[in-house]
Amino acid sequence: EIVKIANLKFLSVISPSAISQLDVTIEKTKTNGSLTHIKASVENDGLCYSKMSLVIINNNTLNTMEQNNKFDDIRPYYSDEVPAAMQRIAASDGFPIVASYVFPDQDIKQLRAMVAGLKTTEEFQSKVMAQFNEQVIKRSITEFTVEGMDMLQKDIPYLYVSNHRDIVLDSSLLQYKLHTHGFQTTEITFGANLMSTPLIIDIGKSNKMFRVERGGTPKEFYRCSMHLSEYIRHVITEKHSSVWIAQRNGRTKDGRDKTDQGIIKMFGMSYTDDKIQSLASLNIVPISVSYEWESCDYLKTFELYISRQQKYIKRPGEDVTSILTGITQPKGRVHFEICPAITREELAALD
């Protein structure tokens, strides 16, 4: 094993033989997967580095940590980036509009202070996003049901593959259900075209959303697909966290929920030695989402109509309009059906 000692002004990696030379006073330990964080006071050669963070990791984990910066262009915020994001959200011009929906009839000044004081993604999700989903359910859904939660295991990371009817709610309502049932929430794919303002970027990346590039030349598309595949596999097999992704690029407009074969091929790009094992190791869980009243129905109908006459070009701000319409529009009954994880045997039968 290797011991990594770090604080704001001191960073070094030392060997196990050097541990005996350190006078370490353990104050607190916290284990998270393969990492053990130890709050301690350390003295060495007469120098005292008080209340430093010691992280005991194995060599594989150290290598993984050093390579993680390859995903900086798409990943969600790290924990140390969340507090600043919370302060930006609270100070933004759009905050009163968002807050008035999530926390109706509450004082904006107090809400700004509350959000600005949040320090972690978990706090943001439990104190803000959970309230957001409750308001959506209360104001626009007559009945919200979920089946299949009993087939999930809390210690297994899954790749949730869902049909896609609403930009935000398909994933957000699932996060809410996972949260209220004691599961870890997932990381969420989010189209680069939707990250259109600093406020949306801060809310999304603080809520475990990661960027998905779309379009470009065939070479750029291949590179982005490989990058996405590597990141999804990294999250599931190394971070041991779950991921949500839609079954196709963009929402269905005609009501036909058909999985894009390119999505399945993308999953396997990051591991080509054994295509069955490549998919089996991701623990794929299909999800079917049904809205009694189709989200953004008239907007989708308009786009379909124009697309039959000519190439449809989105107007500026159209994605934000679809997000807000999907959130506020009446949806009637909403049901999520969580299917059993696809097994290796099922995948092999399709080979």
Side-chain angles (χ1 to χ4, degrees), residues 246-305:
Q247 67 174 169
R248 49 168 287 162
N249 183 5
R251 296 165 296 158
T252 182
K253 306 298 194 304
D254 58 6
R256 299 177 182 177
D257 296 316
K258 185 176 181 180
T259 300
D260 185 347
Q261 292 186 15
I263 295 290
I264 306 301
K265 292 178 181 178
M266 179 274 293
F267 293 157
M269 290 175 69
S270 52
Y271 184 88
T272 57
D273 294 346
D274 180 339
K275 61 182 179 181
I276 300 301
Q277 178 59 25
S278 177
L279 296 177
S281 62
L282 297 177
N283 304 315
I284 298 174
V285 171
I287 294 182
S288 178
V289 182
S290 177
Y291 296 86
E292 182 177 13
W293 301 332
E294 181 72 10
S295 175
C296 297
D297 48 3
Y298 66 93
L299 296 175
K300 293 176 181 177
T301 302
F302 177 77
E303 181 176 337
L304 271 178
Y305 175 75

Side-chain angles (χ1 to χ4, degrees), residues 119-137:
K119 303 298 183 185
T120 67
T121 291
E122 290 72 21
E123 288 183 343
F124 179 60
Q125 291 187 329
S126 63
K127 296 184 178 181
V128 177
M129 294 308 301
Q131 298 300 316
F132 161 76
N133 284 292
E134 288 174 1
Q135 287 297 325
V136 169
I137 294 169

Side-chain angles (χ1 to χ4, degrees), residues 160-177:
Y160 296 99
V161 181
S162 171
N163 62 326
H164 197 19
R165 296 301 184 92
D166 185 87
I167 294 176
V168 170
L169 298 184
D170 295 345
S171 59
S172 187
L173 289 171
L174 174 65
Q175 306 308 305
Y176 175 71
K177 231 24 179 175

Side-chain angles (χ1 to χ4, degrees), residues 145-170:
T145 55
V146 178
E147 294 290 339
M149 293 289 297
D150 57 320
M151 291 181 289
L152 302 176
Q153 298 183 42
K154 294 182 179 180
D155 59 344
I156 295 180
Y158 296 104
L159 174 57
Y160 296 99
V161 181
S162 171
N163 62 326
H164 197 19
R165 296 301 184 92
D166 185 87
I167 294 176
V168 170
L169 298 184
D170 295 345

Side-chain angles (χ1 to χ4, degrees), residues 65-329:
M65 292 174 66
E66 291 173 343
Q67 294 172 4
N68 281 355
N69 59 0
K70 70 182 289 187
F71 301 120
D72 278 353
D73 58 329
I74 63 173
R75 63 168 175 79
Y77 284 145
Y78 288 140
S79 57
D80 60 351
E81 297 172 312
V82 172
M86 294 297 102
Q87 294 178 17
R88 291 193 297 270
I89 291 171
S92 69
D93 293 338
F95 181 82
I97 298 174
V98 176
S100 65
Y101 182 86
V102 181
F103 302 99
D105 304 322
Q106 294 194 36
D107 181 72
I108 292 296
K109 185 175 180 179
Q110 292 179 352
L111 291 173
R112 284 189 190 273
M114 183 274 288
V115 172
L118 299 178
K119 303 298 183 185
T120 67
T121 291
E122 290 72 21
E123 288 183 343
F124 179 60
Q125 291 187 329
S126 63
K127 296 184 178 181
V128 177
M129 294 308 301
Q131 298 300 316
F132 161 76
N133 284 292
E134 288 174 1
Q135 287 297 325
V136 169
I137 294 169
K138 178 180 178 180
R139 297 188 187 195
S140 66
I141 297 175
T142 57
E143 183 182 11
F144 179 44
T145 55
V146 178
E147 294 290 339
M149 293 289 297
D150 57 320
M151 291 181 289
L152 302 176
Q153 298 183 42
K154 294 182 179 180
D155 59 344
I156 295 180
Y158 296 104
L159 174 57
Y160 296 99
V161 181
S162 171
N163 62 326
H164 197 19
R165 296 301 184 92
D166 185 87
I167 294 176
V168 170
L169 298 184
D170 295 345
S171 59
S172 187
L173 289 171
L174 174 65
Q175 306 308 305
Y176 175 71
K177 231 24 179 175
L178 291 172
H179 171 73
T180 55
H181 280 71
F183 287 82
Q184 289 293 318
T185 53
T186 78
E187 293 198 15
I188 306 165
T189 56
F190 201 60
N193 59 303
L194 301 174
M195 293 190 173
S196 54
T197 69
L199 178 60
I200 292 177
I201 292 172
D202 277 338
I203 292 175
K205 297 183 73 172
S206 298
N207 194 37
K208 296 187 179 181
M209 291 183 176
F210 60 93
R211 182 186 182 98
V212 176
E213 295 289 347
R214 294 174 177 167
T217 65
K219 185 176 181 180
E220 291 171 339
F221 180 77
Y222 176 84
R223 180 188 62 80
C224 291
S225 296
M226 175 62 81
H227 197 45
L228 177 60
S229 180
E230 291 175 338
Y231 183 71
I232 290 173
R233 190 168 299 277
H234 161 71
V235 172
I236 293 173
T237 65
E238 297 178 14
K239 291 178 66 176
H240 302 289
S241 295
S242 296
V243 171
W244 178 95
I245 189 171
Q247 67 174 169
R248 49 168 287 162
N249 183 5
R251 296 165 296 158
T252 182
K253 306 298 194 304
D254 58 6
R256 299 177 182 177
D257 296 316
K258 185 176 181 180
T259 300
D260 185 347
Q261 292 186 15
I263 295 290
I264 306 301
K265 292 178 181 178
M266 179 274 293
F267 293 157
M269 290 175 69
S270 52
Y271 184 88
T272 57
D273 294 346
D274 180 339
K275 61 182 179 181
I276 300 301
Q277 178 59 25
S278 177
L279 296 177
S281 62
L282 297 177
N283 304 315
I284 298 174
V285 171
I287 294 182
S288 178
V289 182
S290 177
Y291 296 86
E292 182 177 13
W293 301 332
E294 181 72 10
S295 175
C296 297
D297 48 3
Y298 66 93
L299 296 175
K300 293 176 181 177
T301 302
F302 177 77
E303 181 176 337
L304 271 178
Y305 175 75
I306 298 298
S307 297
R308 290 176 179 175
Q309 315 299 321
Q310 62 191 55
K311 180 178 175 60
Y312 184 78
I313 300 176
K314 288 185 178 182
R315 301 180 300 276
E318 185 171 332
D319 287 326
V320 175
T321 299
S322 293
I323 289 173
L324 296 177
T325 302
I327 290 170
T328 58
Q329 188 181 41

